Structure formats: structure tokens, C-alpha cells
Amino acid sequence: MGNILFFMAIAFNHHLHTSMYFFLMNLSIVDLGSISVIVPKSMANSLMNIMSISYAGCVAQIFFLLFLLGADFSLLTIMAYDRYVAICQPLNYEALMNSRACVKMAAGAWISGILFSVLHTGNTFALLFCGGNMVDQFFCEIPQLLKLTCSDSYLSEIGVLAFTVCLVLGCFVFIILSYVQIFKSVLRIPSEQGRYKALSTCLPHLTVVSLFVCSGAFAYLKSTSNSPSALDLVVAILYSVLPPIMNPIIYSMRNKEIKVALRRLTGWRLFTQE
């Protein structure tokens, strides 16, 4: 619901039709999709007291989840570049981040998500499974499926995961370097109000990136055990469920424009200007 409201607030307010909010709209769609892939099925299983999913359902769940997670991280990387250009190269912002460039970047993010998903889903389900059919998770997850594979057949997916980690690490380093330059530029802004406005658009994004990368990396890089653990469940919730829920809240907490747009859309007094 939060992502739907966030999307509508931006779409129906022409003052928010800028590159930053365009990417936030795409992020809302991704977050809405990713949480819809796993939560409804999990809730239905809980309500009907069943603990099963079909093979085709498991393939579809992994494909769409990885597609949306890949697009999510690509969008977060693009948004870091957008903030870098806006704060460090303001005179070139309109030229570099025009509507055509933004559409191409967003399309690239969605396409990269599809390629990422096809690579991992195809490689995972090409493996031989001989360890039973019990997945110790509330949704189909690659680390849990790898525990069901035969002896050494999982090594190819481990190699693909290692390649993915390198790509993610490269994007993360790019984001960090962008923010180093951003913070240097912010410190040179003479007015306190100017510094606050710049930071209010950057800190939420940095918070979202940190939560997404740290929880996702821990889930996929930690050693798996043969017995289910509460830690696996908590980590899975942290990277798959919590970010889509928290993103609208994080991005609207210190953004007065979003608060005003949400108040106009809903009429609620929850979003009051400070």
C-alpha cells in the first residue's frame, strides 16, 4: 500500500516529474512487485495450513524475485549517479539527466534485472537435485535449493554467484565513491539550509542501499547448514521483505515535497510539514 501511494503521489503531482522522482517511481514498482512475489503465497500457505509449492511455482518465484532484486539494485546505482550529478555537477544536470537519458537508464535497469534472473534461474534449475524436496525457508531461495543438489553439481552456480558478487561489489564501490564526492561538495555549501536539503535527498538513498546490500550479501555469502535456523529466516526477511516495506517510509521521512504530495493525495494529516 505504501508503494502504491508513493507511486501515485509522484505520478499525479507534476512538480515531482523530475529525474530523481522518476527513478523513485520505478523503485516503487520494483518494491511492489518483489514483495508480491513471495508474501501472498506465504500468507496463503499459512492461512490454509499447507507447506508446499509446485516445481513450476518455485521456478517462477525465483525468476521474478531475482529479476526484481536485480532491477532494484541497478536503479539504486543509477540513483546514486543522479544525486552525484545533481550536487557535484549542477550546471550539467539538465543535459546529463534529461528525460531521454532517464528512460534509457531505467530501461537498462529493467533489462539488467532480466539478464541477472535468467542467468541464475537457468543455472540453478539445470542442476541435479537429489537431497529431497524440503526447502527450509518461507519461499524458494537459491541458497536453500543448493543444499538439495547432488555432491558437486552446485559448483557452477557458486561460480555464477561469485561473478554476481563481483558485479554488486563494483556497483557498491561506485555508490560509495559517488557519496564521498557528494559529501565533499555538501560540506562546501555555505548555507545550513542548503546542506540540509542536499543531505535530505541523499541520506535516505544511502540507508536503503546499505540495508539492501548488507542483508543480501549476508544471505548469499554465509555458509549454509543442513538444519534450519532462525537466522536464515531473519536474513531472508531483511533482504526480501523489509526493504520494499521501508523504502516509502525512508524516502518520505525527510522529504517535504513527498509529504505534501502524499497529504494532497490522501488528505491525511500524518504527513505534515515541519
Side-chain angles (χ1 to χ4, degrees):
M1 191 64 184
N3 282 292
I4 292 173
L5 286 174
F6 203 79
F7 177 87
M8 293 175 63
I10 296 173
F12 295 150
N13 191 327
H14 69 277
H15 295 295
L16 300 182
H17 291 178
T18 63
S19 61
M20 182 180 77
Y21 293 110
F22 171 74
F23 293 127
L24 281 176
M25 284 177 63
N26 279 267
L27 191 65
S28 296
I29 296 171
V30 168
D31 288 338
L32 181 63
S34 62
I35 202 169
S36 299
V37 167
I38 55 177
V39 172
K41 174 62 177 174
S42 179
M43 291 177 64
N45 284 356
S46 178
L47 291 172
M48 293 186 290
N49 197 28
I50 59 176
M51 299 176 64
S52 64
I53 186 172
S54 66
Y55 182 84
C58 186
V59 174
Q61 198 172 65
I62 284 185
F63 174 82
F64 285 110
L65 182 61
L66 291 179
F67 159 51
L68 293 163
L69 290 179
D72 195 328
F73 191 67
S74 298
L75 284 169
L76 291 174
T77 305
I78 293 169
M79 289 167 67
Y81 174 72
D82 174 72
R83 290 299 84 206
Y84 165 76
V85 176
I87 294 174
C88 300
Q89 300 182 33
L91 298 179
N92 297 324
Y93 186 72
E94 292 296 331
L96 294 174
M97 302 302 295
N98 57 64
S99 58
R100 189 172 183 178
C102 290
V103 170
K104 287 182 178 179
M105 290 180 187
W110 288 96
I111 292 171
S112 67
I114 292 175
L115 295 176
F116 173 77
S117 180
V118 168
L119 176 65
H120 281 285
T121 306
N123 198 60
T124 298
F125 287 97
L127 302 176
L128 297 175
F129 295 94
C130 54
N133 62 352
M134 181 69 70
V135 179
D136 299 321
Q137 193 53 273
F138 68 98
F139 66 97
C140 284
E141 185 186 40
I142 288 180
Q144 298 299 326
L145 289 176
L146 292 181
K147 296 185 340 186
L148 307 179
T149 58
C150 303
S151 60
D152 295 331
S153 64
Y154 68 91
L155 293 179
S156 61
E157 176 59 18
I158 294 296
V160 174
L161 283 174
F163 174 70
T164 302
V165 167
C166 293
L167 289 178
V168 171
L169 185 61
C171 291
F172 187 62
V173 169
F174 172 80
I175 292 172
I176 295 299
L177 292 177
S178 297
Y179 272 99
V180 169
Q181 297 300 317
I182 287 171
F183 289 137
K184 285 181 179 180
S185 298
V186 168
L187 292 176
R188 290 196 293 265
I189 297 176
S191 67
E192 183 178 346
Q193 184 178 2
R195 289 195 297 270
Y196 176 83
K197 185 177 181 180
L199 289 174
S200 67
T201 64
C202 296
L203 291 181
H205 178 256
L206 195 57
T207 303
V208 170
V209 170
S210 301
L211 176 63
F212 183 83
V213 172
C214 293
S215 58
F218 186 76
Y220 280 82
L221 295 180
K222 73 180 183 66
S223 58
T224 56
S225 59
N226 292 325
S227 58
S229 68
L231 181 62
D232 292 334
L233 178 63
V234 171
V235 171
I237 292 174
L238 281 177
Y239 84 85
S240 64
V241 177
L242 191 61
I245 293 174
M246 293 301 298
N247 283 356
I249 299 173
I250 292 172
Y251 279 112
S252 61
M253 279 178 61
R254 300 186 64 179
N255 192 314
K256 292 183 179 180
E257 293 176 325
I258 288 293
K259 290 179 182 179
V260 170
L262 286 169
R263 189 171 70 245
R264 288 176 179 172
L265 179 68
T266 63
W268 296 346
R269 292 297 175 182
L270 174 64
F271 301 99
T272 57
Q273 284 183 285
E274 297 175 357

